[in-house]
Amino acid sequence: MNPVRWSFRLSLLLVACITCTTALLYPVTEGRWSTWTDWSVCSASCDAGVRFRGRHCENGTDCIGQVFEQQPCTIKSCVQAIDGSWGSWGTLSQCSVTCGIGYTYRLRVCDSPAPSGGGADCAGTNRDFQECNLGVCQLPVDGGWTDFVDHDCSVSCGVGVVVSTRSCTNPAPAYGGKNCEGSSTAFKKCVNNLCVQDGGWSDWTNYTDCGVICGFGLQRRERSCTNPAPASGGKYCEGIGLEEQECFKGDCPPDIKTCDKTMLRKALTNATTSCPPSNNADDSIVRSFCVVPDNQISWRFGLEIHNNCEMIPLYSPVGAVQAGTAHVKKFGLMVDCYRTTLSMAITNCNNDIVVEKQNLTDTSTTYHMILFS
């Protein structure tokens, strides 16, 4: 038991006994409080404690209120106060200038130990400045470019790019001088020998429709030497760029005569001699391979071939007519017609059956189907 607290309680008990005795000997009807006593000594010598004070009812026993009162108190902290102490100085910083006289500094921290328990901070400053001398300052030197140096062309043939480089070393910047302005790299076009490129075929197109109005016709598909196209002396594609296959559109009406293709093909195969085609209007080839009236008066011109090339049935009899007249220059049998080229079987000077190509863009001659009544 704390002797201070015990003494205080005995004092209060004595006051209370005196008050009670007085009240018994001298009864009164209305109580009156005495003044409060002084606060007692704090119950704890450090950190949190409690102190007390009391009063008594001087006149009567009907005083209203508390006889005792208490409040928290603290005399001091139980933790021992530790004053702070500086740690070691840190490393000096770089000099504040690159030439001439400047300063450098170092730092220290109040942590050996740090202040605690109400102890004092470290005395003095945490930063120490010292002078530094880096020698006489030189005038700044701005950088300068070297000449551009070209590197190899990016390709061994054809058109490419040359990369040119330079460096900021003529002179290099010094003593705070400026760096070179602009780019260290430049580009320019270079042309070496053209690259030899052989041609390559594109894919085949789909076959065309069978475009004749009746009888036999031709369906075609094409490809082009563009994948890639030959360049700089490269080889053209080997093979053919056009393929044909025969098609049949049904029998023709009676006035459209198509001739015997089997006999005609055999005659073309067996032709062994060559000489200029006949220039007279020899109709023997029509009579030899087609079933026609003997009287040529019953022959008449039908559809003009120029703008209807691929509509005309194969093996149809054809007449070449001098433009603006009715004069027949030549007879033949159509074996092909594609775009602006008409291929017709004719009789040459040796009576061989040969194929002659006619240019449909030549407007001096028109070509017509021959119809029979």
Side-chain angles (χ1 to χ4, degrees), residues 257 259-260 282-293 296 299 316-319 330-333 345-347 353 370 372:
K257 298 294 185 182
C259 305
D260 191 327
D282 182 6
D283 63 3
S284 62
I285 189 169
V286 178
R287 296 183 183 278
S288 298
F289 296 99
C290 309
V291 180
V292 298
Q296 200 178 96
W299 297 15
S316 295
V318 175
K330 192 179 299 185
F331 289 99
L333 301 181
I346 61 171
T347 304
I353 307 301
I370 297 176
F372 305 99

Side-chain angles (χ1 to χ4, degrees), residues 1 53 102 179 252 303 327:
M1 178 68 72
R53 69 178 179 176
N179 278 319
C252 291
L303 188 66
H327 174 64

